[in-house]
């Protein structure tokens, strides 16, 4: 984002790396995450006002661990090292990092910590607080010029600082909610050390993104596949504002949407002068998915078929030059980048045919989910769509375990609608970030009306999260679960058992497939 101050986050493989980025943006400062393998000259050309080294699972003293050239410390740019990033800074600048000699020096979880509030990183904060530790290595000697600015009962060098050069390192994770005043510490680094002015706002991003799309598209024709979720809908609204009737939205009704969702999505786009095509492709998708049970194969089939439908629809309106995708930042990260592991491929990132004929536009690629919602409001989308429950591009196909059939999709549609209705009736629709039903492939014996049944088990899932990179299972009141369960087994034929998923992310993902 060339019109904004820029903070560079260098990724060393830690699990909270994208959370760091989210926290920086919450401070109205733009940032991006770059792999540590990115050439140094490329990083320097970004002209960052500050650099953050992320955590990571490695030990800096091992040859195979991620490292970075000492040259980066000669740019005159402030650096904050977090966990592994702190130890890497110490190691690179001449300190000594060793395995902890005893268990007391290994710290995990919530730890009482004492701060030197004269340090810019901790100014205005309490002298004591809880920090979230996760390290088994120890800084046996800190580099020359560094002072100890925080400690715990077990560790004398929880945080180090060379304030003359703007270098700071913390052994804990300020980005997680468990660290008290962690967001304030990041704010202090950004504003007191790096000189941030807070020029990253969604209003400004909206204007900038519209202008960038207009410049890129020119007088070209644009095709967008509208899945019905928040991401693709916000992307469609952005393109509608940018290029108007140069945009053709193909809303693919693949027969795997939630109940009544298609009509609601179509109604939201009446305000724009665009070409809106609703393609009924239910049978086509069901035929392609017949007999398929493997989740990744489902995703790739659906991703490929989406493109084929686009191609057919675009041929009816003439030459199409650009394809828009609603890819967002967590999609990019989870689909694997650099040394990152592939958790699951997203239809917006993987699964596209090699012979695709369009140039790709991804206007939301660097935004987190809550930023996408903010952008939707800026664009004037109705609140019911902006706050729509997240829904994966493959739709109910990855919420039906095993083979996909129309019968299963109809069962799940009705059950999911009841669950969402009861969540709304209880006033919980905005406190639970995502909630839905999953039709498992398991059948079990039940009894209804004195008769034996052998029907499906339905799983309910609800999570709370700030960024969809990590999530905790939602503590839905028992009476709400009871009401939903009772209604579903009485009103939806084919289901005789309800279970509730109480697994967080990690180790699970939010979706089941």
């Amino acid at each position: 984002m060339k019109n904004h101050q820029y903070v560079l986050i260098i990724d060393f493989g830690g699990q909270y790396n994208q959370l760091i980025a989210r926290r920086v943006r919450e401070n109205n400062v733009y940032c991006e995450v770059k792999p540590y393998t990115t050439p140094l000259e490329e990083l320097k050309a970004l002209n960052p006002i500050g650099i953050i080294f992320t955590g990571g699972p490695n030990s800096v003293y091992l040859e195979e661990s991620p490292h970075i050239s000492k040259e980066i410390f000669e740019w005159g740019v402030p650096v904050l090292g977090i966990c592994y990033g702190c130890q890497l800074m110490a190691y690179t600048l001449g300190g000594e990092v060793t395995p902890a000699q005893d268990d007391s020096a290994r710290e995990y979880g919530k730890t009482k910590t004492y701060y030197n509030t004269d340090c810019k990183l901790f100014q205005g904060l309490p002298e004591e607080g809880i920090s979230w530790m996760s390290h088994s290595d120890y800084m046996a000697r800190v580099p020359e010029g560094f002072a100890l600015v925080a400690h715990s009962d077990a560790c004398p060098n929880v945080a180090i600082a060379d304030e003359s050069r703007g270098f700071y390192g913390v052994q804990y994770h300020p980005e997680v909610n468990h660290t008290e005043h962690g967001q304030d510490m990041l704010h202090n680094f950004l504003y007191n050390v790096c000189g941030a002015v807070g020029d990253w706002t969604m209003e400004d991003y909206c204007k900038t993104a519209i202008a960038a799309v207009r410049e890129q598209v020119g007088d070209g024709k644009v095709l967008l596949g509208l899945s019905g979720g928040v991401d693709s809908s916000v992307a469609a609204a952005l393109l509608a504002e940018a290029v108007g009737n140069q945009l053709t939205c193909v809303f693919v009704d693949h027969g795997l949407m939630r109940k009544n969702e298609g009509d609601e999505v179509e109604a939201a786009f009446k305000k724009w002068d665009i070409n809106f095509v609703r393609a009924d492709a239910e049978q086509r998708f069901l035929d392609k998915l017949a007999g398929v049970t493997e989740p990744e194969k489902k995703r790739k089939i659906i991703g490929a078929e989406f493109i084929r439908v686009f191609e057919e629809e675009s041929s009816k309106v003439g030459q199409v030059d650009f394809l828009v995708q609603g890819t967002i930042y967590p999609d990019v990260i989870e689909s694997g980048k650099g040394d990152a592991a592939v958790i699951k491929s997203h239809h917006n990132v993987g699964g596209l045919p090699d012979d695709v004929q369009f140039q790709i536009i991804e206007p939301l690629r660097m935004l987190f989910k809550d930023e996408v919602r903010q952008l939707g409001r800026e664009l004037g989308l109705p609140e019911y769509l902006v706050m729509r429950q997240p829904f994966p591009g493959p739709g109910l196909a990855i919420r039906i375990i095993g083979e996909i059939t129309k019968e299963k999709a109809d069962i799940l549609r009705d059950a999911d609608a009841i669950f969402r209705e009861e969540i709304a009736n209880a006033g919980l629709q905005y406190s639970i970030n995502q909630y839905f039903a999953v039709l498992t492939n398991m059948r079990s014996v039940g009894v209804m009306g004195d008769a034996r049944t052998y029907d499906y088990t339905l799983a309910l899932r609800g999570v709370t999260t700030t960024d969809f990179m990590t999530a905790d299972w939602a503590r839905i009141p028992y009476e709400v679960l009871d009401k939903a369960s009772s209604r579903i087994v009485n009103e939806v034929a084919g289901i005789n058992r309800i279970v509730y998923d109480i697994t967080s992310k990690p180790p699970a993902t939010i979706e089941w497939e």
Side-chain angles (χ1 to χ4, degrees), residues 3-200:
N3 297 323
H4 300 280
Q5 289 182 319
Y6 184 102
V7 167
L8 171 63
I9 299 174
I10 300 182
D11 181 358
F12 291 99
Q15 62 177 318
Y16 300 125
N17 297 346
Q18 303 316 310
L19 188 54
I20 297 172
R22 189 64 204 96
R23 296 294 181 248
V24 171
R25 293 194 192 176
E26 285 173 356
N27 279 287
N28 299 115
V29 179
Y30 185 73
C31 65
E32 290 183 19
V33 179
K34 298 290 184 182
Y36 74 93
T37 52
T38 306
L40 218 57
E41 59 272 18
E42 185 178 324
L43 297 179
K44 188 174 184 180
L46 296 170
N47 194 29
I49 64 168
I51 299 170
I52 298 177
F53 289 175
T54 75
N58 303 97
S59 295
V60 296
Y61 46 78
L62 299 178
E63 186 176 348
E64 65 271 19
S65 295
H67 292 95
I68 199 161
S69 171
K70 186 177 180 179
E71 179 189 332
I72 199 168
F73 295 102
E74 299 169 2
W75 293 354
V77 177
V79 180
L80 171 62
I82 296 175
C83 197
Y84 179 87
C86 172
Q87 296 172 359
L88 179 64
M89 176 187 294
Y91 180 86
T92 305
L93 293 177
E96 182 182 359
V97 179
T98 65
Q101 297 302 309
D102 56 65
D103 290 341
S104 64
R106 300 182 179 93
E107 295 178 300
Y108 296 96
K110 295 180 180 180
T111 306
K112 190 171 185 179
T113 308
Y114 309 91
Y115 305 102
N116 178 353
T117 56
D118 291 332
C119 173
K120 288 183 179 180
L121 205 61
F122 308 122
Q123 282 180 353
L125 306 182
E127 293 182 351
E128 296 181 11
I130 298 297
S131 66
W132 185 263
M133 298 284 192
S134 182
H135 69 93
S136 58
D137 287 333
Y138 176 74
M139 288 186 290
R141 187 181 72 254
V142 300
E144 184 178 349
F146 279 78
L148 307 183
V149 292
H151 68 278
S152 67
D153 293 332
C155 182
N157 48 25
V158 166
I160 60 175
D162 181 343
E163 300 215 85
S164 64
R165 292 189 287 176
F167 297 158
Y168 299 83
V170 296
Q171 295 262 50
Y172 56 89
H173 290 272
E175 70 275 19
V176 302
N177 289 331
H178 300 303
T179 295
E180 294 176 346
H181 303 288
Q183 180 69 312
D184 295 325
M185 296 171 193
L186 290 172
H187 183 276
N188 282 347
F189 176 71
L190 296 169
Y191 285 84
N192 297 350
V193 179
C194 301
V197 297
D199 62 358
W200 166 249

Side-chain angles (χ1 to χ4, degrees), residues 223-227 248-257 262-263 265-266 275-285 305-314 316:
L223 180 66
L224 184 148
L226 197 56
S227 71
T248 297
C249 280
V250 176
F251 178 32
V252 179
D253 187 351
H254 51 21
L256 297 166
M257 301 197 66
D263 294 340
V265 173
E266 187 172 1
N275 303 310
F276 192 99
V277 178
R278 185 170 177 176
D280 181 2
E282 178 183 33
Q283 194 58 50
R284 176 170 173 171
F285 277 84
E305 201 60 23
F306 258 89
I307 298 301
R308 297 309 176 206
V309 174
F310 296 162
E311 289 173 339
E312 292 174 13
E313 294 299 333
S314 66
K316 301 174 186 177

